[in-house]
Amino acid sequence: MYEKTFPNKRFKHTLAFLQKHISPSEAILDLGVDNPFSKIMKENGYTVTNTKGEDLDIDQTALSEGNYPVTTAFEIFEHLLNPFTVLQNIQSDKLIISIPMRLWFSPAYRSKTDMWDRHYHEFEDWQLDWLLEKTGWKILDREKFTNPVKQIGIRPLLRRFTPRYYIVYAEKVK
């Protein structure tokens, strides 16, 4: 996925948000397979366990295995058909989730070669907020940020000032 580019700004912003809310002493269940950002979390002192690539729409067993006070989900919920059930079944009390935001000037992302690399949901911030609220989470912090690309064109220009990512810290309502 990152053969030619590496989202340095996005990873730096995401790490700063994680460090703001989560102590390295808290074990993390990171939804999705081991990836460059889970490696960055480990390099910064976090204990991270990734899910194994199972289809979380169908198999949510990994959400109840182990004792993880924190669950992270970085750019995964847009790929799920059923994020509602996944959010309901998370056992952790703390959640950090980020999503690419829906862009009014671009259709939903769809890889023609990789069935897993497609966006079923193109969220706006209010939609993710509502989803979290309906599944028993209270949002305590949120940020939107851009991730400009070094290309020429209308979309790259718009990406310089149009928020592209939305990140949320939430805790389970008890």
Side-chain angles (χ1 to χ4, degrees):
M1 179 173 198
Y2 299 113
E3 297 86 17
K4 297 178 185 170
T5 61
F6 201 72
N8 292 315
K9 180 183 178 189
R10 176 167 53 105
F11 284 177
K12 183 178 178 182
H13 193 99
T14 303
L15 180 62
F17 192 85
L18 178 72
Q19 290 171 326
K20 178 179 174 183
H21 296 289
I22 306 301
S23 164
S25 66
E26 298 177 277
I28 295 174
L29 175 63
D30 185 35
L31 303 186
V33 296
D34 194 40
N35 60 75
F37 191 73
S38 56
K39 290 180 177 119
I40 289 170
M41 288 191 290
K42 291 172 187 173
E43 289 167 2
N44 282 272
Y46 290 94
T47 302
V48 179
T49 302
N50 286 86
T51 54
K52 306 294 185 235
E54 61 274 46
D55 186 342
L56 292 173
D57 282 318
I58 298 167
D59 180 5
Q60 293 146 13
T61 308
L63 303 177
S64 58
E65 293 176 344
N67 184 19
Y68 301 98
V70 180
T71 295
T72 57
F74 301 115
E75 286 86 54
I76 188 169
F77 277 83
E78 66 275 9
H79 299 276
L80 299 175
L81 300 178
N82 189 13
F84 187 93
T85 304
V86 172
L87 285 166
Q88 280 186 314
N89 286 300
I90 290 174
Q91 301 298 308
S92 304
D93 290 329
K94 297 177 182 180
L95 173 67
I96 293 189
I97 179 173
S98 65
I99 55 160
M101 294 181 65
R102 180 184 176 278
L103 298 173
W104 55 269
F105 55 85
S106 181
Y109 176 74
R110 178 180 166 202
S111 169
K112 303 229 187 267
T113 58
D114 184 351
M115 294 293 289
W116 290 100
D117 192 19
R118 295 177 177 185
H119 292 184
Y120 185 77
H121 297 280
E122 293 280 323
F123 290 99
E124 293 183 34
D125 56 350
W126 69 268
Q127 292 171 306
L128 182 63
D129 292 354
W130 188 23
L131 180 62
L132 289 165
E133 177 187 312
K134 293 279 285 184
T135 55
W137 296 92
K138 180 178 179 172
I139 297 171
L140 300 177
D141 193 13
R142 60 178 61 111
E143 292 178 11
K144 294 179 195 174
F145 59 99
T146 62
N147 191 45
V149 294
K150 294 178 183 174
Q151 296 175 347
I152 297 172
I154 292 184
R155 284 183 185 182
L157 176 66
L158 291 170
R159 286 188 173 124
R160 291 197 176 279
F161 58 86
T162 303
R164 179 67 175 121
Y165 293 94
Y166 183 53
I167 191 165
V168 171
Y169 169 64
E171 291 183 359
K172 192 170 276 189
V173 177
K174 299 202 181 205

